[in-house]
mmCIF file of all heavy atoms in Angstrom:
data_model
loop_
_atom_site.group_PDB
_atom_site.id
_atom_site.type_symbol
_atom_site.label_atom_id
_atom_site.label_comp_id
_atom_site.label_asym_id
_atom_site.label_seq_id
_atom_site.Cartn_x
_atom_site.Cartn_y
_atom_site.Cartn_z
ATOM 1 N N TYR A 439 105.629 81.328 107.999
ATOM 2 C CA TYR A 439 105.862 82.058 106.753
ATOM 3 C C TYR A 439 104.958 83.351 106.807
ATOM 4 O O TYR A 439 103.799 83.248 106.535
ATOM 5 C CB TYR A 439 105.554 81.243 105.594
ATOM 6 C CG TYR A 439 105.814 81.902 104.214
ATOM 7 C CD1 TYR A 439 106.742 82.874 104.014
ATOM 8 C CD2 TYR A 439 105.007 81.526 103.078
ATOM 9 C CE1 TYR A 439 107.016 83.459 102.701
ATOM 10 C CE2 TYR A 439 105.246 82.127 101.809
ATOM 11 C CZ TYR A 439 106.154 83.034 101.746
ATOM 12 O OH TYR A 439 106.338 83.594 100.460
ATOM 13 N N PRO A 440 105.542 84.498 107.279
ATOM 14 C CA PRO A 440 104.674 85.586 107.469
ATOM 15 C C PRO A 440 104.733 86.570 106.209
ATOM 16 O O PRO A 440 105.665 86.540 105.488
ATOM 17 C CB PRO A 440 105.381 86.400 108.673
ATOM 18 C CG PRO A 440 106.853 86.029 108.386
ATOM 19 C CD PRO A 440 106.978 84.677 107.707
ATOM 20 N N GLY A 441 103.708 87.344 106.137
ATOM 21 C CA GLY A 441 103.626 88.334 105.069
ATOM 22 C C GLY A 441 102.319 89.016 104.946
ATOM 23 O O GLY A 441 101.402 88.846 105.723
ATOM 24 N N SER A 442 102.222 89.886 103.854
ATOM 25 C CA SER A 442 100.992 90.559 103.599
ATOM 26 C C SER A 442 100.079 89.713 102.738
ATOM 27 O O SER A 442 98.858 89.805 102.809
ATOM 28 C CB SER A 442 101.358 91.945 102.918
ATOM 29 O OG SER A 442 102.143 92.639 103.743
ATOM 30 N N PHE A 443 100.633 89.008 101.703
ATOM 31 C CA PHE A 443 99.888 88.145 100.844
ATOM 32 C C PHE A 443 98.705 88.888 100.238
ATOM 33 O O PHE A 443 97.542 88.404 100.267
ATOM 34 C CB PHE A 443 99.410 86.896 101.572
ATOM 35 C CG PHE A 443 100.585 86.114 102.104
ATOM 36 C CD1 PHE A 443 100.855 86.152 103.479
ATOM 37 C CD2 PHE A 443 101.399 85.332 101.266
ATOM 38 C CE1 PHE A 443 101.894 85.464 104.028
ATOM 39 C CE2 PHE A 443 102.428 84.648 101.865
ATOM 40 C CZ PHE A 443 102.669 84.757 103.191
ATOM 41 N N ASP A 444 98.903 90.037 99.699
ATOM 42 C CA ASP A 444 97.806 90.913 99.145
ATOM 43 C C ASP A 444 97.998 91.074 97.625
ATOM 44 O O ASP A 444 98.289 92.187 97.183
ATOM 45 C CB ASP A 444 97.851 92.234 99.903
ATOM 46 C CG ASP A 444 96.542 93.025 99.554
ATOM 47 O OD1 ASP A 444 95.611 92.422 98.945
ATOM 48 O OD2 ASP A 444 96.560 94.250 99.805
ATOM 49 N N HIS A 450 104.558 82.889 95.992
ATOM 50 C CA HIS A 450 104.353 82.625 97.441
ATOM 51 C C HIS A 450 104.029 81.094 97.488
ATOM 52 O O HIS A 450 104.456 80.379 98.370
ATOM 53 C CB HIS A 450 103.158 83.377 97.974
ATOM 54 C CG HIS A 450 103.334 84.806 98.163
ATOM 55 N ND1 HIS A 450 102.447 85.708 97.599
ATOM 56 C CD2 HIS A 450 104.310 85.520 98.751
ATOM 57 C CE1 HIS A 450 102.835 86.999 97.954
ATOM 58 N NE2 HIS A 450 103.950 86.865 98.631
ATOM 59 N N ALA A 467 101.230 83.068 107.828
ATOM 60 C CA ALA A 467 100.522 84.018 108.738
ATOM 61 C C ALA A 467 100.461 85.362 108.021
ATOM 62 O O ALA A 467 101.490 86.111 107.684
ATOM 63 C CB ALA A 467 101.428 84.160 110.121
ATOM 64 N N ILE A 468 99.286 85.964 107.935
ATOM 65 C CA ILE A 468 99.002 87.196 107.364
ATOM 66 C C ILE A 468 98.948 88.300 108.409
ATOM 67 O O ILE A 468 98.246 88.192 109.440
ATOM 68 C CB ILE A 468 97.663 87.247 106.688
ATOM 69 C CG1 ILE A 468 97.512 86.096 105.593
ATOM 70 C CG2 ILE A 468 97.396 88.546 106.013
ATOM 71 C CD1 ILE A 468 96.134 85.937 105.081
ATOM 72 N N LEU A 469 99.760 89.366 108.091
ATOM 73 C CA LEU A 469 99.780 90.468 109.094
ATOM 74 C C LEU A 469 98.508 91.270 109.099
ATOM 75 O O LEU A 469 98.095 91.702 108.032
ATOM 76 C CB LEU A 469 101.001 91.415 108.825
ATOM 77 C CG LEU A 469 101.160 92.699 109.639
ATOM 78 C CD1 LEU A 469 101.500 92.302 111.134
ATOM 79 C CD2 LEU A 469 102.162 93.639 109.128
ATOM 80 N N LEU A 470 97.970 91.421 110.318
ATOM 81 C CA LEU A 470 96.808 92.287 110.418
ATOM 82 C C LEU A 470 97.316 93.705 110.661
ATOM 83 O O LEU A 470 97.783 93.937 111.751
ATOM 84 C CB LEU A 470 95.904 91.885 111.636
ATOM 85 C CG LEU A 470 95.002 90.625 111.475
ATOM 86 C CD1 LEU A 470 94.509 90.250 112.814
ATOM 87 C CD2 LEU A 470 93.932 90.865 110.465
ATOM 88 N N ASN A 471 97.172 94.617 109.757
ATOM 89 C CA ASN A 471 97.822 95.880 109.961
ATOM 90 C C ASN A 471 96.821 97.022 109.678
ATOM 91 O O ASN A 471 96.869 97.402 108.472
ATOM 92 C CB ASN A 471 99.113 95.893 109.053
ATOM 93 C CG ASN A 471 99.939 97.255 109.410
ATOM 94 O OD1 ASN A 471 99.472 98.026 110.186
ATOM 95 N ND2 ASN A 471 101.020 97.356 108.754
ATOM 96 N N LYS A 474 98.340 100.132 107.789
ATOM 97 C CA LYS A 474 98.745 100.095 106.456
ATOM 98 C C LYS A 474 97.568 100.412 105.511
ATOM 99 O O LYS A 474 96.659 99.572 105.384
ATOM 100 C CB LYS A 474 99.241 98.640 106.125
ATOM 101 C CG LYS A 474 100.142 98.649 104.866
ATOM 102 C CD LYS A 474 100.778 97.248 104.762
ATOM 103 C CE LYS A 474 101.466 97.147 103.410
ATOM 104 N NZ LYS A 474 101.928 95.795 103.133
ATOM 105 N N PHE A 503 97.969 87.425 112.275
ATOM 106 C CA PHE A 503 98.587 87.842 113.507
ATOM 107 C C PHE A 503 98.709 89.385 113.551
ATOM 108 O O PHE A 503 98.725 90.031 112.511
ATOM 109 C CB PHE A 503 99.996 87.260 113.713
ATOM 110 C CG PHE A 503 101.062 87.816 112.924
ATOM 111 C CD1 PHE A 503 101.994 88.765 113.471
ATOM 112 C CD2 PHE A 503 101.168 87.573 111.558
ATOM 113 C CE1 PHE A 503 103.036 89.243 112.628
ATOM 114 C CE2 PHE A 503 102.217 88.102 110.750
ATOM 115 C CZ PHE A 503 103.177 89.021 111.317
ATOM 116 N N LYS A 504 98.758 89.890 114.797
ATOM 117 C CA LYS A 504 99.095 91.326 114.933
ATOM 118 C C LYS A 504 100.198 91.461 115.891
ATOM 119 O O LYS A 504 100.455 90.575 116.718
ATOM 120 C CB LYS A 504 97.792 92.158 115.252
ATOM 121 C CG LYS A 504 97.030 91.767 116.499
ATOM 122 C CD LYS A 504 95.827 92.535 116.544
ATOM 123 C CE LYS A 504 94.887 91.944 117.598
ATOM 124 N NZ LYS A 504 93.526 92.529 117.610
ATOM 125 N N GLY A 505 100.817 92.637 115.986
ATOM 126 C CA GLY A 505 101.861 92.792 117.003
ATOM 127 C C GLY A 505 103.152 92.259 116.385
ATOM 128 O O GLY A 505 103.277 92.060 115.190
ATOM 129 N N LEU A 506 104.156 91.994 117.308
ATOM 130 C CA LEU A 506 105.443 91.518 116.875
ATOM 131 C C LEU A 506 105.352 90.127 116.414
ATOM 132 O O LEU A 506 104.736 89.233 117.055
ATOM 133 C CB LEU A 506 106.399 91.618 118.042
ATOM 134 C CG LEU A 506 106.976 93.007 118.449
ATOM 135 C CD1 LEU A 506 107.927 92.875 119.633
ATOM 136 C CD2 LEU A 506 107.686 93.620 117.275
ATOM 137 N N LEU A 507 106.087 89.875 115.342
ATOM 138 C CA LEU A 507 106.105 88.479 114.750
ATOM 139 C C LEU A 507 106.733 87.530 115.768
ATOM 140 O O LEU A 507 106.290 86.371 115.891
ATOM 141 C CB LEU A 507 106.956 88.550 113.487
ATOM 142 C CG LEU A 507 107.231 87.255 112.830
ATOM 143 C CD1 LEU A 507 105.885 86.547 112.368
ATOM 144 C CD2 LEU A 507 108.073 87.401 111.589
ATOM 145 N N VAL A 508 107.743 87.963 116.487
ATOM 146 C CA VAL A 508 108.410 87.052 117.451
ATOM 147 C C VAL A 508 107.480 86.640 118.592
ATOM 148 O O VAL A 508 107.593 85.510 119.082
ATOM 149 C CB VAL A 508 109.745 87.763 118.080
ATOM 150 C CG1 VAL A 508 110.773 87.902 116.950
ATOM 151 C CG2 VAL A 508 109.510 89.068 118.733
ATOM 152 N N ASP A 509 106.635 87.532 118.966
ATOM 153 C CA ASP A 509 105.604 87.171 120.041
ATOM 154 C C ASP A 509 104.593 86.124 119.527
ATOM 155 O O ASP A 509 104.297 85.231 120.167
ATOM 156 C CB ASP A 509 104.873 88.392 120.537
ATOM 157 C CG ASP A 509 105.729 89.368 121.362
ATOM 158 O OD1 ASP A 509 106.772 88.865 121.828
ATOM 159 O OD2 ASP A 509 105.441 90.502 121.432
ATOM 160 N N TYR A 510 104.196 86.407 118.248
ATOM 161 C CA TYR A 510 103.282 85.387 117.607
ATOM 162 C C TYR A 510 103.968 84.002 117.573
ATOM 163 O O TYR A 510 103.421 83.019 117.783
ATOM 164 C CB TYR A 510 102.872 85.971 116.247
ATOM 165 C CG TYR A 510 102.103 85.007 115.438
ATOM 166 C CD1 TYR A 510 100.711 84.746 115.842
ATOM 167 C CD2 TYR A 510 102.589 84.415 114.347
ATOM 168 C CE1 TYR A 510 99.987 83.701 115.086
ATOM 169 C CE2 TYR A 510 101.850 83.503 113.614
ATOM 170 C CZ TYR A 510 100.548 83.208 113.983
ATOM 171 O OH TYR A 510 99.856 82.289 113.209
ATOM 172 N N ILE A 519 111.355 81.100 111.231
ATOM 173 C CA ILE A 519 110.660 82.076 110.246
ATOM 174 C C ILE A 519 111.160 81.907 108.858
ATOM 175 O O ILE A 519 112.360 81.887 108.716
ATOM 176 C CB ILE A 519 110.896 83.510 110.673
ATOM 177 C CG1 ILE A 519 110.312 83.857 112.080
ATOM 178 C CG2 ILE A 519 110.323 84.548 109.667
ATOM 179 C CD1 ILE A 519 110.727 85.165 112.650
ATOM 180 N N VAL A 520 110.296 81.695 107.979
ATOM 181 C CA VAL A 520 110.649 81.491 106.569
ATOM 182 C C VAL A 520 110.342 82.725 105.839
ATOM 183 O O VAL A 520 109.310 83.310 105.954
ATOM 184 C CB VAL A 520 109.806 80.331 105.905
ATOM 185 C CG1 VAL A 520 110.087 80.188 104.428
ATOM 186 C CG2 VAL A 520 110.131 79.005 106.575
ATOM 187 N N ARG A 521 111.361 83.180 105.028
ATOM 188 C CA ARG A 521 111.142 84.337 104.127
ATOM 189 C C ARG A 521 111.731 84.026 102.815
ATOM 190 O O ARG A 521 112.790 83.337 102.633
ATOM 191 C CB ARG A 521 111.832 85.554 104.731
ATOM 192 C CG ARG A 521 111.187 86.145 105.948
ATOM 193 C CD ARG A 521 109.832 86.796 105.751
ATOM 194 N NE ARG A 521 109.985 88.147 105.072
ATOM 195 C CZ ARG A 521 108.977 88.834 104.564
ATOM 196 N NH1 ARG A 521 107.780 88.405 104.664
ATOM 197 N NH2 ARG A 521 109.192 89.987 103.960
ATOM 198 N N ARG A 524 114.047 86.855 96.470
ATOM 199 C CA ARG A 524 113.987 86.690 94.975
ATOM 200 C C ARG A 524 115.201 87.067 94.410
ATOM 201 O O ARG A 524 115.826 86.425 93.554
ATOM 202 C CB ARG A 524 112.746 87.461 94.414
ATOM 203 C CG ARG A 524 111.432 86.918 94.816
ATOM 204 C CD ARG A 524 110.318 87.924 94.642
ATOM 205 N NE ARG A 524 110.571 89.098 95.550
ATOM 206 C CZ ARG A 524 109.789 90.107 95.765
ATOM 207 N NH1 ARG A 524 108.612 90.154 95.038
ATOM 208 N NH2 ARG A 524 110.021 91.133 96.543
ATOM 209 N N TYR A 531 116.631 94.457 103.102
ATOM 210 C CA TYR A 531 115.514 94.553 103.990
ATOM 211 C C TYR A 531 115.299 93.311 104.779
ATOM 212 O O TYR A 531 114.987 93.340 105.993
ATOM 213 C CB TYR A 531 114.279 94.883 103.071
ATOM 214 C CG TYR A 531 112.973 94.813 103.724
ATOM 215 C CD1 TYR A 531 112.520 95.637 104.787
ATOM 216 C CD2 TYR A 531 111.947 93.883 103.234
ATOM 217 C CE1 TYR A 531 111.335 95.607 105.322
ATOM 218 C CE2 TYR A 531 110.704 93.820 103.823
ATOM 219 C CZ TYR A 531 110.301 94.648 104.883
ATOM 220 O OH TYR A 531 109.130 94.570 105.461
ATOM 221 N N GLU A 532 115.493 92.106 104.153
ATOM 222 C CA GLU A 532 115.288 90.903 104.844
ATOM 223 C C GLU A 532 116.324 90.636 105.904
ATOM 224 O O GLU A 532 116.033 90.117 106.913
ATOM 225 C CB GLU A 532 115.338 89.700 103.809
ATOM 226 C CG GLU A 532 114.136 89.725 102.789
ATOM 227 C CD GLU A 532 112.763 89.568 103.540
ATOM 228 O OE1 GLU A 532 112.715 88.972 104.603
ATOM 229 O OE2 GLU A 532 111.771 90.117 102.930
ATOM 230 N N LEU A 533 117.570 91.087 105.571
ATOM 231 C CA LEU A 533 118.660 91.018 106.600
ATOM 232 C C LEU A 533 118.278 91.824 107.848
ATOM 233 O O LEU A 533 118.478 91.311 108.982
ATOM 234 C CB LEU A 533 119.876 91.514 105.946
ATOM 235 C CG LEU A 533 121.151 91.429 106.898
ATOM 236 C CD1 LEU A 533 121.608 89.968 107.182
ATOM 237 C CD2 LEU A 533 122.344 92.247 106.308
ATOM 238 N N GLN A 534 117.844 93.078 107.624
ATOM 239 C CA GLN A 534 117.474 93.908 108.720
ATOM 240 C C GLN A 534 116.364 93.292 109.607
ATOM 241 O O GLN A 534 116.502 93.290 110.790
ATOM 242 C CB GLN A 534 116.874 95.216 108.252
ATOM 243 C CG GLN A 534 117.939 96.284 107.821
ATOM 244 C CD GLN A 534 117.257 97.610 107.471
ATOM 245 O OE1 GLN A 534 116.012 97.657 107.397
ATOM 246 N NE2 GLN A 534 118.058 98.597 107.204
ATOM 247 N N MET A 535 115.393 92.787 108.923
ATOM 248 C CA MET A 535 114.255 92.195 109.694
ATOM 249 C C MET A 535 114.715 90.911 110.458
ATOM 250 O O MET A 535 114.462 90.719 111.605
ATOM 251 C CB MET A 535 113.133 91.733 108.742
ATOM 252 C CG MET A 535 112.177 92.840 108.445
ATOM 253 S SD MET A 535 110.445 92.208 108.093
ATOM 254 C CE MET A 535 110.856 91.167 106.672
ATOM 255 N N ALA A 536 115.531 90.117 109.747
ATOM 256 C CA ALA A 536 116.022 88.888 110.402
ATOM 257 C C ALA A 536 116.847 89.189 111.611
ATOM 258 O O ALA A 536 116.783 88.565 112.695
ATOM 259 C CB ALA A 536 116.755 88.040 109.366
ATOM 260 N N LEU A 537 117.741 90.205 111.482
ATOM 261 C CA LEU A 537 118.629 90.499 112.596
ATOM 262 C C LEU A 537 117.852 91.188 113.793
ATOM 263 O O LEU A 537 118.138 90.961 114.905
ATOM 264 C CB LEU A 537 119.795 91.376 112.094
ATOM 265 C CG LEU A 537 120.769 90.714 111.219
ATOM 266 C CD1 LEU A 537 121.856 91.627 110.730
ATOM 267 C CD2 LEU A 537 121.404 89.452 111.865
ATOM 268 N N MET A 538 116.897 91.991 113.413
ATOM 269 C CA MET A 538 116.020 92.616 114.448
ATOM 270 C C MET A 538 115.228 91.498 115.192
ATOM 271 O O MET A 538 115.168 91.468 116.386
ATOM 272 C CB MET A 538 115.025 93.584 113.851
ATOM 273 C CG MET A 538 114.093 94.233 114.862
ATOM 274 S SD MET A 538 115.039 95.109 116.154
ATOM 275 C CE MET A 538 115.560 96.669 115.316
ATOM 276 N N ASN A 539 114.707 90.590 114.427
ATOM 277 C CA ASN A 539 113.954 89.441 114.997
ATOM 278 C C ASN A 539 114.911 88.615 115.901
ATOM 279 O O ASN A 539 114.529 88.144 117.007
ATOM 280 C CB ASN A 539 113.294 88.598 113.989
ATOM 281 C CG ASN A 539 112.056 89.294 113.416
ATOM 282 O OD1 ASN A 539 111.396 90.050 114.093
ATOM 283 N ND2 ASN A 539 111.731 88.957 112.159
ATOM 284 N N ARG A 540 116.127 88.492 115.456
ATOM 285 C CA ARG A 540 117.094 87.630 116.256
ATOM 286 C C ARG A 540 117.454 88.447 117.619
ATOM 287 O O ARG A 540 117.625 87.804 118.615
ATOM 288 C CB ARG A 540 118.434 87.478 115.505
ATOM 289 C CG ARG A 540 119.438 86.690 116.278
ATOM 290 C CD ARG A 540 120.651 86.296 115.481
ATOM 291 N NE ARG A 540 120.432 85.207 114.668
ATOM 292 C CZ ARG A 540 121.213 84.803 113.673
ATOM 293 N NH1 ARG A 540 122.347 85.378 113.449
ATOM 294 N NH2 ARG A 540 120.924 83.754 112.918
ATOM 295 N N LEU A 542 115.412 90.360 119.146
ATOM 296 C CA LEU A 542 114.278 90.199 120.047
ATOM 297 C C LEU A 542 114.064 88.824 120.516
ATOM 298 O O LEU A 542 113.531 88.503 121.615
ATOM 299 C CB LEU A 542 113.021 90.649 119.284
ATOM 300 C CG LEU A 542 112.911 92.134 118.855
ATOM 301 C CD1 LEU A 542 111.847 92.280 117.810
ATOM 302 C CD2 LEU A 542 112.804 92.985 120.068
ATOM 303 N N SER A 562 103.346 90.802 94.712
ATOM 304 C CA SER A 562 101.922 91.150 94.786
ATOM 305 C C SER A 562 101.678 92.510 94.203
ATOM 306 O O SER A 562 100.668 92.781 93.564
ATOM 307 C CB SER A 562 101.458 91.052 96.240
ATOM 308 O OG SER A 562 101.622 89.779 96.780
HETATM 309 O O1 PNS B 34 105.007 90.533 102.863
HETATM 310 P P1 PNS B 34 105.683 91.637 103.593
HETATM 311 O O2 PNS B 34 104.820 92.924 103.682
HETATM 312 O O3 PNS B 34 107.066 91.956 103.215
HETATM 313 O O4 PNS B 34 105.824 91.057 105.174
HETATM 314 C C1 PNS B 34 106.399 91.816 106.180
HETATM 315 C C2 PNS B 34 106.164 91.202 107.566
HETATM 316 C C3 PNS B 34 104.710 90.936 107.839
HETATM 317 C C4 PNS B 34 106.908 89.903 107.653
HETATM 318 C C5 PNS B 34 106.755 92.166 108.640
HETATM 319 O O5 PNS B 34 106.213 93.457 108.365
HETATM 320 C C6 PNS B 34 106.436 91.756 110.053
HETATM 321 O O6 PNS B 34 106.923 90.807 110.527
HETATM 322 N N1 PNS B 34 105.663 92.591 110.766
HETATM 323 C C7 PNS B 34 105.224 92.323 112.122
HETATM 324 C C8 PNS B 34 105.740 93.412 113.112
HETATM 325 C C9 PNS B 34 107.121 93.041 113.592
HETATM 326 O O7 PNS B 34 107.302 92.041 114.115
HETATM 327 N N2 PNS B 34 108.071 93.973 113.215
HETATM 328 C C10 PNS B 34 109.519 93.883 113.596
HETATM 329 C C11 PNS B 34 110.152 92.868 112.640
HETATM 330 S S1 PNS B 34 111.636 93.561 112.114
#
Side-chain angles (χ1 to χ4, degrees):
Y439 179 33
S442 305
F443 303 102
D444 190 18
H450 293 128
I468 304 173
L469 175 66
L470 287 169
N471 187 357
K474 199 172 170 186
F503 76 104
K504 54 186 168 191
L506 281 179
L507 177 60
V508 294
D509 291 338
Y510 173 72
I519 294 171
V520 173
R521 290 287 288 173
R524 291 161 299 189
Y531 170 61
E532 294 299 332
L533 180 71
Q534 274 185 355
M535 273 207 302
L537 292 177
M538 179 59 78
N539 285 332
R540 177 175 283 171
L542 296 168
S562 299

